[in-house]
Every structure is written in C-alpha cells, then in structure tokens.
Amino acid sequence: MFKLCTLGVVLCLLAPSRGTTCGTVVRVNQEALEYVCQEGRPFLLQGLMAMQLPAFKPQGFLIGGLLNMVGIKILDVELPHLSVKLVPGTGVQVSFSSRFHIRGNIMEFKVGSSILLDVRVMRSSPGYPILSITACKSILGDVQILVGGTNLLGFLQPLQNHIRAVLMDKMCLSVSNVVLRLNAKMGTMIDRNTINHWSRLQYSMLEDPKITGEYIELDLKAAFELMGKPMEYSGPAPSFSLPPQETVSDDSMVNMGLSNNMFEHFFLTLEKSGAFNLNIGGQSLAQQYPNDVAVVLSLVLAKHPVVTFKEGGATLTISPAIEVAVAASSSSSQTLCTLGAELSLSLKLDVTVTSLEISVALQGEVGLAVVSSSVGEIQMAQMRTIIISVIEKEFLAKVNGALSVGISLPKMTNLQYIEPEIEMHEGYAQVNCDLDYVQ
C-alpha cells in the first residue's frame, strides 16, 4: 500500500502528453502499480495492527459483568488479497480482504473483512503529487467467538455486534491514514538536485496527472537554476510527448521521456556555470618563438551547445573559442591568436538507480579556423597538432568531468530505477525501467 501510493507518487509520470517546458514525461504502467501495491503490504498490516479496540461493557445483559471484555487486542492480521486498479480521470482504487485474529481477556475472535478505497491523485500548489481519499467502503463477515477453541456461533450476539461496529468504524480511518502519510514523502519528488556548485535542477508537475485504464501520466517541468536564480531561455518551449502507449513495445513498469530541449537546457546551464571553460599552459611553440616558449591555451564556448537526437543516437555540437597566448614577461602575456573550433561529440547515456549518466566521445574531425591573429600568418600544421592534443586529452576530460554528476531523474525517496534500457529517438531519449523500493 505504501508502495501503491508511493506509486501515487511515481504515479505522477507519463505519456501522450501536453507540451511541457524542458519536457519530461513519465509513464507508470499497471504492472508498476501492482508491484507497488504488493510492496506496500507491511505498511498496510502495520496500520491495521495498530488499531485500538475499546472494551465491551454490556448493560442490562443477562450475564452482566461476566461478559465485560477488556484489553481487546489484535493479535494478527492476514491479507489474502490485495490489488489496485486505475480509475480513469481520477486516481486508483485499492481493494483488499483481511482476516483478523482478536483477543480479549476471556475470549478470542476471528473475523473476515474487505475494503474498497478510492484515492484521487492531484497536483499540489508547490507542484508535487498529492493524494486524497474520496471514498472508503468496508464490509465485515461474521464474527467467530472462540472459547477454548470452540466457536460459540451466534450465542453472544451483542459481543459480535460490538466487534463488528468497532472494526467498521476504525478500518477505513486506519487505512486512509496509511495512504495520507505518503503525502509527506510526495514532496521529495520536487527536491532540488545539485548539478554542480553553482547550478541546480528541480522537477515539478505542470498540471494534474492524466489517468487512463492502463497508466498514469505526468507532464513535468525541469527547471534549471544558476546561482540560485532560474535560467531564462529565449523562445517558446517546443511541445513534447511520448508516443501513444499502443505504439510502445516495451513492457517495463515505467517509460520516461526526456526531450531534446531538456538536454539542451542542461548543457546550457553547464556552459553558463563555466563548467566547460579550460585554461592550460606548457604547450611548446618552438617554430613561432626561437626560445621555445610555452603557450597558454584558454577555451571558452563561443556558441551555445546544440543537442540533436536521432533514431539510434545523439550528438552534442560545441564550438569553443581558443585563445593562444605566450608570456611576454613575468607579469603579462601576449595573445597570439584566437581560433574557432567545432566539435561533434557522440552522447552515451546510462541509467543508475537515481540518475541519467552522460559521457561524450569525439566523432569525426575537429573543425579549426583562425578567427584573429596578432602575429600575422599562423602555421596551422603545428598549431593544429597542439590544439587537437589538448582537445582530446584535456578538454574532453574536462567535459566528461562536468557531466559525471549526471541528470537526476524524477523520483520519490525510497524508490529506485532498476533494469533500465535506453532508446534514442528523433527529438528525445526514452528510459524504460522497473521499480525497486528500498528502506
């Protein structure tokens, strides 16, 4: 049950969706709900076991005080049946049957019951999922009263009625409390996630989830911050959605779509934070200077990174401006030239239990051209050798170091993603995975 509604939390992620800002869409399928529901058994049992049952003190009964029943306590609860189903447009319905074993000071009782609980899933004002109980119906079977292991059948009807009334009153309240306590955990879905010292990522729901008979869908906004302030982007965010469920062959519990636009905003945030800037010295340029002085290279991105997702792969294009300088004295330097480079990098994506890891590798040749020069014609042959070496050994290591933290995926505390598979499609990446609950 905990998981069931924990799913309620995850429950908020999904498919053919509405357009989103830095679009992120997650689909939680029926299989995930069932898994969450079964994982929630201990929490449901704990809630039922914790019910406090009042004493039975009959008045005017034939045997009077002989039937005073105090210290009524639940000894054990079994859940032979527990399931959950999606209710289109609303949320989920939890159903379960239970068997109680109850003991008082002189007798024991056994009673069977069933509950139907309707749970509505909505968007809270801060932007995380919130659950509410819209209906609860409990049904109790006959109460068996045991003395010395013998069933007294209906002989003690007033006592039976007391046990039934107490359980009818308390079961829905107890189960509802188990579900509503999940709301405290729901808020962890919009916790700020660190990218680096200067930047953060935070997810939030754009609107109430879309709920069908097969899945729950949530459109999420991925908001990037730089030095505590929201990143601003020019132009409207393109619409993004996952394909309709019937076109998705994967049978994972969760299908998560991360748009091309979201990746570009991630790389732009890293650029603005200076994560790709590189200064390196000690490169020899003997042909230009007879004394074989060392040059200092400074790399700063001259254009915003461009991410392109195609079927089966993705490319990151970055264009660093490379300033080449030499030390003119102990306190000053002379800029020899500024070069423009263009790098095409292949993106590799991997999924951990909580995040999407990214790394890059150089593909194709590096485009290199002189932008400006203070020393006349540049001998590009030797210069190119130096620059390519720096890019391959130093700059790519810098980029991969900046990317090593990965992109935190939308999730609630205690939930992890397992058995992931990654697909790359035109305009987006799709992560297919199952769920695992950890204490």
Side-chain angles (χ1 to χ4, degrees):
M1 150 100 0
F2 173 84
K3 208 103 187 257
L4 139 72
C5 291
T6 248
L7 198 187
V9 93
V10 193
L11 311 169
C12 7
L13 320 161
L14 244 196
S17 26
R18 292 71 69 182
T20 68
T21 301
C22 292
T24 303
V25 177
V26 186
R27 229 177 243 155
V28 179
N29 300 309
Q30 176 66 37
E31 182 185 356
L33 284 168
E34 289 291 347
Y35 167 77
V36 168
C37 185
Q38 299 307 319
E39 286 292 307
R41 279 176 177 265
F43 300 94
L44 183 55
L45 287 169
Q46 184 179 10
L48 295 173
M49 287 286 294
M51 290 191 301
Q52 299 296 312
L53 306 183
F56 175 64
K57 297 181 180 181
Q59 296 180 358
F61 190 72
L62 179 62
I63 314 180
L66 292 178
L67 286 183
N68 280 351
M69 189 68 62
V70 296
I72 301 178
K73 181 180 179 181
I74 298 175
L75 297 180
D76 185 39
V77 181
E78 297 178 0
L79 293 177
H81 167 77
L82 174 61
S83 65
V84 61
K85 70 174 183 179
L86 289 157
V87 180
T90 301
V92 297
Q93 183 180 78
V94 183
S95 63
F96 67 87
S97 60
S98 60
R99 289 195 289 261
F100 288 90
H101 185 188
I102 303 168
R103 182 172 63 192
N105 57 332
I106 60 173
M107 296 181 185
E108 294 185 6
F109 314 89
K110 289 188 176 180
V111 59
S113 68
S114 61
I115 275 189
L116 288 176
L117 187 73
D118 292 335
V119 182
R120 185 175 182 83
V121 185
M122 300 174 292
R123 175 191 180 275
S124 66
S125 55
Y128 61 84
I130 190 170
L131 309 176
S132 64
I133 309 302
T134 58
C136 181
K137 181 181 180 181
S138 60
I139 302 173
L140 267 70
D142 291 335
V143 179
Q144 297 180 4
I145 303 177
L146 307 177
V147 176
T150 302
N151 183 8
L152 298 184
L153 299 176
F155 178 66
L156 301 176
Q157 190 66 43
L159 188 52
Q160 286 182 317
N161 293 341
H162 172 75
I163 296 298
R164 288 176 57 85
V166 167
L167 290 178
M168 290 282 287
D169 179 60
K170 291 183 175 292
M171 283 182 60
C172 276
L173 178 61
S174 177
V175 173
S176 296
N177 285 339
V178 172
V179 174
L180 295 179
R181 279 198 294 269
L182 294 173
N183 284 330
K185 293 183 175 290
M186 297 290 193
T188 62
M189 185 177 160
I190 63 169
D191 284 348
R192 285 179 171 81
N193 301 286
T194 298
I195 299 174
N196 57 31
H197 183 70
W198 297 275
S199 54
R200 306 285 186 272
L201 165 63
Q202 183 178 30
Y203 293 99
S204 61
M205 296 171 61
L206 291 170
E207 54 193 353
D208 286 344
K210 175 184 176 181
I211 303 173
T212 73
E214 291 78 37
Y215 58 78
I216 297 175
E217 162 187 316
L218 257 203
D219 283 347
L220 301 180
K221 173 184 177 182
F224 293 92
E225 296 180 1
L226 184 61
M227 299 183 69
K229 296 182 178 180
M231 287 284 291
E232 296 183 359
Y233 312 99
S234 58
S239 179
F240 171 67
S241 65
L242 283 176
Q245 190 185 41
E246 56 269 19
T247 67
V248 177
S249 59
D250 181 83
D251 59 356
S252 298
M253 293 183 185
V254 175
N255 307 121
M256 191 180 316
L258 307 172
S259 69
N260 197 113
N261 183 252
M262 188 265 203
F263 281 95
E264 288 204 337
H265 287 191
F266 170 71
F267 282 104
L268 179 59
T269 302
L270 288 177
E271 176 209 340
K272 294 292 186 181
S273 71
F276 298 143
N277 296 347
L278 176 66
N279 292 299
I280 185 170
Q283 306 297 317
S284 174
L285 198 59
Q287 289 184 350
Q288 186 72 31
Y289 283 82
N291 294 330
D292 192 15
V293 297
V295 299
V296 177
L297 303 179
S298 299
L299 286 77
V300 178
L301 296 196
K303 299 178 182 178
H304 296 326
V306 177
V307 179
T308 305
F309 275 87
K310 300 290 186 182
E311 288 298 321
T315 301
L316 171 67
T317 303
I318 53 178
S319 303
I322 307 169
E323 183 181 87
V324 183
V326 297
S329 67
S330 59
S331 59
S332 63
S333 62
Q334 176 187 354
T335 298
L336 301 181
C337 63
T338 299
L339 307 176
E342 183 169 293
L343 284 66
S344 178
L345 307 175
S346 61
L347 288 182
K348 180 183 178 182
L349 306 180
D350 291 296
V351 178
T352 69
V353 292
T354 60
S355 62
L356 182 70
E357 292 188 339
I358 306 174
S359 60
V360 298
L362 186 63
Q363 62 178 14
E365 294 189 356
V366 176
L368 197 62
V370 177
V371 176
S372 64
S373 172
S374 63
V375 293
E377 185 177 353
I378 300 297
Q379 300 296 321
M380 284 300 295
Q382 184 184 12
M383 184 69 74
R384 182 178 181 84
T385 300
I386 294 173
I387 298 301
I388 297 301
S389 176
V390 168
I391 287 175
E392 291 179 343
K393 296 179 180 179
E394 307 290 343
F395 184 63
L396 288 185
K398 174 77 171 181
V399 172
N400 281 319
L403 297 175
S404 62
V405 67
I407 300 178
S408 296
L409 295 173
K411 62 174 288 292
M412 192 180 79
T413 186
N414 300 119
L415 278 180
Q416 294 183 345
Y417 298 117
I418 60 171
E419 301 182 10
E421 294 181 355
I422 297 177
E423 303 174 11
M424 296 188 187
H425 300 288
E426 186 78 27
Y428 71 98
Q430 181 170 319
V431 177
N432 307 315
C433 54
D434 291 337
L435 298 175
D436 186 32
Y437 178 77
V438 293
Q439 296 289 349

